Amino acid sequence: MIFENLNLIEPILKALQEEGYTSPTPIQEQSIPVLLQGKDLLGCAQTGTGKTAAFSIPILQKLYKTDHRKGIKALILTPTRELAIQIGECFEAYGRYTGLKHAVIFGGVGQKPQTDALRNGVQILVATPGRLLDLITQGFISLKTLDFFVLDEADRMLDMGFIHDIRRILKLLPAKRQTLFFSATMPPEIETLANSMLTDPEKVEVTPASSTVDTIAQHVYFVEKKEKKDLLLHLLKDKSVESVLIFTRTKYGADKLARTLTKAGIRAEAIHGNKSQNARQRALTEFKNHTLRVLIATDIAARGIDVDQLSHVINYELPNVPETYVHRIGRTGRAGHEGIAISFCESEEIPYLKDIQKLIGKTIPVVSEHPFITNEGMFQYGNATLSYYDPETKSVENEVFYRANAMKLGDVAQSMTIRDGVGWIVVNNSHVIFAIDINTFKEVGRITNLASPRYIHFVSDEKAYVTQIWDNHIFIVNPKRYEITGYIECPNMAMESG
């Protein structure tokens, strides 16, 4: 499929060719014919799928063919100023040969340049809810001539508390209009809102709700909070990390991390709601032009940053809402390009990680070879599995997942012996026996430098025997002090007897 097959007009095809686009993405291929027929659309599409072009191209084409009246014909409502600017750039790029005018309005800046553009006349308006309602109240905007209404990132709108503004705006729209509704996720409250706005819509869903795109390689690093900055500096030494978008939970955290990186000789800028619009736009422009390598953002900017071939996204702090993870990493791996998403996970964030994996339906691979790995994180999460079996119910009551610093991918837990509330995990490949508290799941000690351990047999609190695989002697250990105290040679013992 190529764009020529979608019955697009020459001015738009020429602009697409200049932008380097020849083939539509799946959502564009499915949505554009539906919208050109005048039908309402319900689109469930994650970031990075090309949905902005999926609605901007047909709106431009229909207005180019039929626009003979004055006034605003298309309104695109979006949650953030960054996303509004991005959508405006798309209309400018694809509509450069149509003669149609557009304006972008948002808060946080003076309104005069925006009202001047409105006075000069525009057919397409991209807006955030607050500034739109403000300028309507002042009499600068009328929506009576509207033919197209697009609600973009609907789930994000609700997350940010815009539901009341949306309802106010809906009351101002003409009843006869074509409505386009896009959301990355489709929980019940979003479906209710969509049903109240749409008339016999066509539904387009290009990927399962809340899935991540296949072109993104995902990794998780277990590291405690105080060492996260050291791990980040360690990773940024790698020149293959060409451009990186780093997410923090708070504005303060973003600013603090930017100062830390700058002090270490790595230029970085932070972008969030407290920054002036000029500062935000300057940082975004430098990042898009690849003159700024590191940009730090809060979630409010997660869906407003569109950078060609962004190589890496780093979750410096995991989000407590799993859907936010999908939106964050969707900044990379866009339009078929490959991308890498790295997540730092401290012990307290492990529940967030499990929620994320449940949502996306896959286990994120753990990077166990790095200088700042945390035992507790690996302990709670890793891939050696020990199951507690209840003989009365004949079922596995629960499972403990364990992976310690000394373990490697592919290691196998040979056996586990529980004594006085401590589980002794024998790991042959790593020549180690780990002692863990089975109530708290915390490591309390380890016996190292064993040859090929198979079982540990207790004689007393201070004496135990460790039998071997592929060895002809038995170690004597002191479990209380976690040390080897001697060994017994068994020259006639079978090599695999254990």
Side-chain angles (χ1 to χ4, degrees):
M1 172 68 75
I2 55 176
F3 278 112
E4 281 84 350
N5 300 137
L6 294 177
N7 297 317
L8 299 180
I9 56 176
E10 185 58 34
I12 292 176
L13 288 174
K14 183 179 178 181
L16 288 169
Q17 187 175 20
E18 289 184 3
E19 290 294 314
Y21 299 136
T22 56
S23 299
T25 65
I27 193 170
Q28 293 163 6
E29 184 178 341
Q30 295 179 52
S31 300
I32 290 174
V34 170
L35 296 176
L36 290 177
Q37 292 173 26
K39 296 180 180 179
D40 283 6
L41 182 76
L42 174 60
C44 185
Q46 61 201 42
T47 55
T49 56
K51 63 182 170 62
T52 302
F55 66 74
S56 60
I57 289 172
I59 287 174
L60 286 166
Q61 175 148 326
K62 295 195 76 175
L63 289 179
Y64 181 79
K65 286 186 171 183
T66 62
D67 179 35
H68 304 293
R69 296 171 293 123
K70 292 183 179 180
I72 297 169
K73 307 301 190 311
L75 171 64
I76 296 88
L77 199 62
T78 188
T80 69
R81 59 187 92 175
E82 286 82 16
L83 189 55
I85 292 171
Q86 175 191 323
I87 294 171
E89 289 173 350
C90 287
F91 274 103
E92 183 174 355
Y94 308 142
R96 62 169 60 107
Y97 298 115
T98 63
L100 296 166
K101 294 181 180 180
H102 76 278
V104 181
I105 64 171
F106 46 80
V109 296
Q111 71 177 41
K112 189 175 186 305
Q114 299 174 2
T115 55
D116 287 347
L118 291 168
R119 283 195 184 98
N120 291 332
V122 298
Q123 290 86 25
I124 301 163
L125 181 63
V126 184
T128 54
R131 178 55 60 94
L132 176 66
L133 287 169
D134 186 17
L135 294 186
I136 289 174
T137 301
Q138 294 181 49
F140 288 106
I141 294 174
S142 170
L143 300 178
K144 293 180 180 179
T145 58
L146 205 71
D147 292 325
F148 305 95
F149 175 57
V150 181
L151 184 64
D152 195 22
E153 305 284 4
D155 51 350
R156 192 67 171 168
M157 287 277 201
L158 266 63
D159 287 344
M160 296 172 65
F162 284 132
I163 184 61
H164 299 298
D165 287 346
I166 292 171
R167 286 174 177 155
R168 287 178 61 193
I169 293 166
L170 288 174
K171 292 178 181 178
L172 303 174
L173 304 181
K176 186 180 179 181
R177 65 177 190 268
Q178 186 176 359
T179 303
L180 292 62
F181 187 104
F182 289 94
S183 183
T185 59
M186 205 62 66
E189 62 269 25
I190 296 296
E191 288 193 17
T192 300
L193 178 62
N195 291 336
S196 71
M197 293 171 50
L198 301 168
T199 303
D200 298 324
E202 292 280 338
K203 186 172 183 181
V204 174
E205 186 172 353
V206 295
T207 53
S210 303
S211 67
T212 54
V213 296
D214 294 334
T215 54
I216 303 174
Q218 302 174 62
H219 307 281
V220 63
Y221 287 70
F222 286 115
V223 57
E224 290 310 323
K225 186 173 185 177
K226 62 183 179 181
E227 292 184 308
K228 283 186 176 181
K229 65 179 184 301
D230 298 315
L231 175 57
L232 180 59
L233 291 169
H234 172 74
L235 294 177
L236 291 177
K237 290 178 183 177
D238 185 351
K239 298 303 180 184
S240 69
V241 183
E242 296 175 357
S243 58
V244 56
L245 177 61
I246 303 171
F247 283 103
T248 61
R249 281 200 208 102
T250 66
K251 301 169 188 175
Y252 171 78
D255 287 334
K256 184 179 179 182
L257 186 58
R259 290 193 298 269
T260 298
L261 293 180
T262 301
K263 190 175 180 181
I266 299 172
R267 182 170 172 256
E269 295 283 350
I271 179 172
H272 52 68
N274 285 358
K275 295 282 186 178
S276 70
Q277 180 59 26
N278 288 337
R280 289 156 67 103
Q281 200 54 46
R282 183 178 64 251
L284 276 174
T285 300
E286 291 184 0
F287 194 56
K288 288 182 178 182
N289 295 338
H290 297 282
T291 56
L292 177 67
R293 181 187 177 210
V294 180
L295 184 67
I296 305 166
T298 53
D299 289 318
I300 204 73
R303 301 191 194 176
I305 300 173
D306 186 15
V307 179
D308 290 339
Q309 299 184 34
L310 173 63
S311 67
H312 289 71
V313 166
I314 295 179
N315 290 303
Y316 190 78
E317 295 162 320
L318 281 179
N320 57 354
V321 178
E323 287 85 358
T324 300
Y325 173 85
V326 177
H327 305 320
R328 285 183 178 186
I329 73 170
R331 298 299 96 204
T332 188
R334 296 170 73 87
H337 295 295
E338 294 182 352
I340 296 174
I342 293 171
S343 296
F344 293 176
C345 182
E346 59 189 87
S347 300
E348 293 182 357
E349 293 175 319
I350 287 175
Y352 301 159
L353 178 62
K354 291 179 178 177
D355 288 343
I356 288 166
Q357 294 183 140
K358 183 178 180 181
L359 177 75
I360 66 176
K362 63 177 68 172
T363 299
I364 303 172
V366 177
V367 177
S368 57
E369 301 295 330
H370 69 84
F372 308 101
I373 196 163
T374 166
N375 281 357
E376 187 171 350
M378 295 297 276
F379 174 84
Q380 292 189 44
Y381 176 81
N383 59 358
T385 305
L386 297 162
S387 303
Y388 290 107
Y389 180 76
D390 188 328
E392 292 185 6
T393 62
K394 296 182 180 180
S395 64
V396 175
E397 292 299 314
N398 56 64
E399 293 182 334
V400 177
F401 297 93
Y402 183 66
R403 185 170 185 82
N405 192 14
M407 294 179 73
K408 305 180 296 296
L409 287 172
D411 279 351
V412 177
Q414 294 288 338
S415 64
M416 177 176 179
T417 302
I418 299 177
R419 181 181 173 89
D420 297 330
V422 175
W424 297 82
I425 304 175
V426 179
V427 183
N428 170 253
N429 308 51
S430 293
H431 320 298
V432 175
I433 296 178
F434 299 101
I436 63 169
D437 185 315
I438 63 172
N439 295 309
T440 64
F441 300 156
K442 292 184 180 296
E443 182 179 336
V444 295
R446 65 177 67 175
I447 305 171
T448 60
N449 299 319
L450 297 162
S452 305
R454 180 65 179 271
Y455 297 109
I456 182 168
H457 308 267
F458 285 87
V459 177
S460 67
D461 290 342
E462 298 186 1
K463 186 175 182 180
Y465 296 110
V466 178
T467 55
Q468 307 289 307
I469 306 173
W470 312 113
D471 202 14
N472 61 358
H473 60 267
I474 298 171
F475 282 102
I476 306 170
V477 298
N478 185 327
K480 207 167 189 177
R481 297 204 300 266
Y482 309 108
E483 64 182 16
I484 300 171
T485 57
Y487 63 90
I488 303 170
E489 289 192 9
C490 306
N492 298 320
M493 185 168 66
M495 290 293 282
E496 295 184 75
S497 66

